Amino acid sequence: MKFLYKNLEPVLFVLLIASAGASQPEFKSDIFTYEDPINARNLHVSMHGDNWSAEDAKSHHLQFYQDLFGNPTVMAKFGSGKPMGSDRVASFFNSHGLEPFDKGNPDGLLLISDHLEQPFMHILAGRGDRPGASELQYAMMPDHWGKRYGEKVVATLVQEWAPEVSRIGCGIGLDGVAHAHIIKVFQCFEGKPLDQIYACASPANPGSVKILEKVGFNPASYHLKSTAVAIDFDQREFDSLQAMDNELLKLFDPTGDLKLIPSQHYRMIDPDGKERTVSLRPEWGQMRYHVEYKVTPK
């Protein structure tokens, strides 16, 4: 019997190893997949709508981003209002597109294509300015404006992508030991799971403002100087939204009566009686409405 046990020991050892390997729980997600789930590297993203699809940015998508961010019509409503040079686009694409996914983080650029597989939009829920927060940005080629693509894509991101990111970052439904690396990289929002998305839009760009409001964003409460209304435009009449935007800009004149501070957020009532959170972004010299969306795990 001793002889038999001695011969069985190597077999049992191999079986134990195989059993341990087979018992490793699989990482499951309807949106995210890893090429290397053990080390949480090389993340891929896939989402679909009725007439669009989204995927993680890849190196061959760079030309689309050059076209998008180099388009004056697109950029008039995005960021500083000016087209970006090719070198800056490439740097932005690498740091916000390729690098996060290579490292296994979920906060990289997503490329949106239509039902003909034609890229037309980008969206980014990148790291925000405080733990647990993400800043939402998006831009779209003009030939796809007015077709409700923006609303559909943004709604899917905040209602499906964001809760899934939060769930994984919280470790819900995951093995705390086997999936420790994955949980950590999904806490890329300054070490916390995602719990809020915020965004800004020009008061003179009603399309973007309406998209954010329709999918559930509310006036932002972070960085508020005071909860009191500082700017009351209720029932004020302006020739255009741009005229209202220009009037807001004047209120941040340091010699003016209100003495409003650039970068600081203030409560405002717009001409339609809606409450807003507004600021002057000094790096762009432009006004922005600020909104936020509470994220809960899926």
Side-chain angles (χ1 to χ4, degrees):
M1 292 298 296
K2 289 183 179 180
F3 175 79
L4 289 175
Y5 280 123
K6 285 181 179 180
N7 280 273
L8 284 172
E9 284 175 1
V11 177
L12 290 172
F13 181 69
V14 170
L15 288 173
L16 287 171
I17 293 176
S19 176
S23 66
Q24 289 294 315
E26 179 185 359
F27 170 69
K28 295 180 179 180
S29 171
D30 294 334
I31 296 175
F32 301 100
T33 58
Y34 278 103
E35 290 183 27
D36 181 2
I38 294 177
N39 297 301
R41 303 284 295 189
N42 302 116
L43 180 67
H44 295 294
V45 184
S46 179
M47 294 189 295
H48 299 273
D50 56 355
N51 59 355
W52 62 271
S53 61
E55 62 179 309
D56 47 294
K58 300 177 179 66
S59 57
H60 63 274
H61 294 148
L62 175 58
Q63 185 56 58
F64 168 76
Y65 280 86
Q66 295 283 8
D67 295 340
L68 181 71
F69 291 139
N71 187 306
T73 303
V74 172
M75 296 306 290
K77 298 179 179 294
F78 185 85
S80 67
K82 299 178 181 179
M84 293 169 58
S86 59
D87 289 346
R88 186 180 171 196
V89 173
S91 176
F92 175 84
F93 180 77
N94 288 327
S95 60
H96 293 281
L98 302 182
E99 291 181 12
F101 295 125
D102 288 345
K103 295 177 180 178
N105 300 132
D107 62 330
L109 295 172
L110 297 179
L111 181 89
I112 315 301
S113 300
D114 61 21
H115 66 289
L116 298 175
E117 300 185 358
Q118 176 65 42
F120 69 91
M121 179 181 178
H122 108 94
I123 192 165
L124 169 67
R127 302 177 194 190
D129 60 359
R130 56 198 181 281
S134 171
E135 182 174 12
L136 176 66
Q137 303 174 23
Y138 54 89
M140 186 189 310
M141 284 298 195
D143 56 355
H144 282 70
W145 292 359
K147 300 178 181 179
R148 297 190 63 226
Y149 280 113
E151 179 184 341
K152 293 176 182 179
V153 173
V154 174
T156 300
L157 185 127
V158 300
Q159 295 168 7
E160 297 183 20
W161 178 93
E164 181 70 346
V165 171
S166 180
R167 176 188 74 84
I168 297 170
C170 290
I172 299 173
L174 279 70
D175 185 294
V177 176
H179 297 142
H181 291 309
I182 294 176
I183 294 170
K184 183 176 181 179
V185 295
F186 268 74
Q187 294 177 356
C188 57
F189 306 95
E190 293 194 23
K192 286 188 60 179
L194 179 64
D195 61 22
Q196 186 182 83
I197 296 178
Y198 66 91
C200 64
S202 168
N205 184 8
S208 186
V209 175
K210 287 179 180 179
I211 286 173
L212 294 167
E213 289 178 337
K214 282 183 177 180
V215 302
F217 280 81
N218 295 303
S221 59
Y222 63 97
H223 296 333
L224 275 177
K225 181 70 174 178
S226 168
T227 57
V229 174
I231 304 168
D232 191 348
F233 280 178
D234 189 16
Q235 299 183 0
R236 283 276 305 272
E237 293 186 3
F238 296 94
D239 294 335
S240 65
L241 288 170
Q242 188 59 57
M244 184 190 72
D245 194 292
N246 294 338
E247 188 68 20
L248 284 169
L249 193 60
K250 293 177 183 177
L251 298 179
F252 284 80
D253 186 334
T255 63
D257 294 336
L258 291 181
K259 304 259 186 317
L260 301 182
I261 303 169
S263 298
Q264 186 65 63
H265 293 189
Y266 296 92
R267 286 295 192 214
M268 168 191 172
I269 304 298
D270 75 6
D272 295 324
K274 290 185 177 181
E275 184 177 285
R276 307 286 189 186
T277 297
V278 67
S279 80
L280 167 63
R281 296 288 292 263
E283 69 272 30
W284 299 335
Q286 296 184 2
M287 302 302 305
R288 289 291 186 267
Y289 286 151
H290 298 267
V291 294
E292 61 190 13
Y293 182 95
K294 176 65 177 176
V295 178
T296 54
K298 188 174 180 179

